[in-house]
Every structure is written in C-alpha cells, then in structure tokens.
Amino acid sequence: MPSKNYLIFIYLISCIALNGCGEISYKRGASATDFVHEKETCSSKHTGKKDIDSCLEQQGWIVVGIEKPLSMMSSPASISAEAVGKAIETKAPLFDPVEKISINSWWKAGSTPDTLIKDSEDCVLQLGKKHQTLNNMSLVTRGLIRCMQEKRWHVLKQ
C-alpha cells in the first residue's frame, strides 16, 4: 500500500494535470499539515509570492505551479557556453559522473518502488560499484542519474 504522502502527492499532480492551473508543494516526509504550518509562518514574514515561495524552499519544500515549472536536474542546455568551451579545450567532462547528488524524490509514470530498485541495480551493474546508491536512493551519482533518465526516470533535487 502506498504511503499517505505519496498518495497526496499523486493526487495533487493529478489535480494540476486535470485543471491546468494551481500549484503544488512537496517535501519528503512532510504532511499537508506541515505545509500549511510552514506556509503560514513564511506568509507572516513575507508578503510577495516569490518571497513566500523562496522561504518555503529554504525550509526544504519544492513549490511547483504554472508560473514556476518543475525544476529537474541540470541539462546540457543549462550549461554556460564558457563551461562548454573550457571542457572542449581541456577534454574534460562537463560533469563528474561520480559526484554525489542529493535527491528528494524519484518518479516515473506507471512505475512501482520495485521497478525503481531494479532499474537502479541495473544501472549500478552497468556503471560499477562507485555508483552504488546511498540513503534509500536519496544520495546518488550523476552517472546513475543519467542512466536512470535513460530508463525514463525523473528526479526532484533537494
């Protein structure tokens, strides 16, 4: 049986998909009550929506809406031309494939936790032991993220 937070997250995503408007907020391990409390705290300190969202993000929340799309892992399109030029000159990779990255959540439409585990194990077998996941898949390497993206998995960064 999926956890309560997972079901709330799926419900909110579904509402946005069906309505095409609104926003959702997500924080690993937090409840809707936690969000309401932290939003009230941020709203008492700030007046503008951007400031309130920034305050929530500083508390570990991911805030997504029509005006603020889901921020995924950096893509090659987000790398500066200067960084690309330097990498070409030195023949160095743009990213260190074994750099550890903190991940808030993994998702793939129609998949289960068992599929996530199997796909990550397949990636570790393909890439090597340096890419072993830690902390229940919340600390992984860039190489593993790329391998999982090839398997159509998406990540939410912390």
Side-chain angles (χ1 to χ4, degrees):
M1 177 88 182
S3 73
K4 181 180 177 182
N5 286 339
Y6 177 77
L7 292 174
I8 290 170
F9 181 71
I10 295 300
Y11 172 76
L12 292 172
I13 291 287
S14 299
C15 287
I16 286 177
L18 294 173
N19 293 326
C21 61
E23 76 175 23
I24 64 164
S25 300
Y26 172 78
K27 179 178 180 179
R28 186 178 202 160
S31 68
T33 305
D34 296 331
F35 173 71
V36 170
H37 174 72
E38 290 189 22
K39 186 162 188 175
E40 287 173 354
T41 301
C42 289
S43 296
S44 70
K45 296 177 184 176
H46 305 283
T47 55
K49 179 154 178 42
K50 283 187 176 185
D51 292 335
I52 293 169
D53 286 352
S54 178
C55 175
L56 287 167
E57 287 173 5
Q58 290 172 4
Q59 302 301 316
W61 289 92
I62 296 170
V63 181
V64 181
I66 296 301
E67 297 168 3
K68 187 174 181 199
L70 184 61
S71 174
M72 303 302 239
M73 291 297 299
S74 297
S75 66
S78 66
I79 300 168
S80 72
E82 182 180 329
V84 172
K86 187 175 181 180
I88 290 170
E89 279 178 23
T90 62
K91 297 183 181 178
L94 289 172
F95 296 114
D96 177 3
V98 292
E99 176 187 358
K100 297 286 187 184
I101 305 292
S102 292
I103 300 299
N104 203 339
S105 182
W106 290 92
W107 61 273
K108 177 180 177 181
S111 290
T112 65
D114 291 337
T115 307
L116 173 66
I117 291 167
K118 182 188 178 320
D119 286 349
S120 69
E121 288 171 349
D122 290 347
C123 284
V124 170
L125 284 174
Q126 176 185 338
L127 300 169
K129 289 184 180 183
K130 288 183 179 180
H131 297 273
Q132 184 62 49
T133 65
L134 300 170
N135 301 338
N136 195 27
M137 295 277 304
S138 65
L139 187 61
V140 299
T141 64
R142 283 192 183 272
L144 187 114
I145 291 169
R146 185 162 304 241
C147 179
M148 294 293 283
Q149 287 173 333
E150 290 171 2
K151 295 177 183 294
R152 303 181 63 149
W153 283 95
H154 303 276
V155 296
L156 297 175
K157 273 180 55 172
Q158 287 186 346

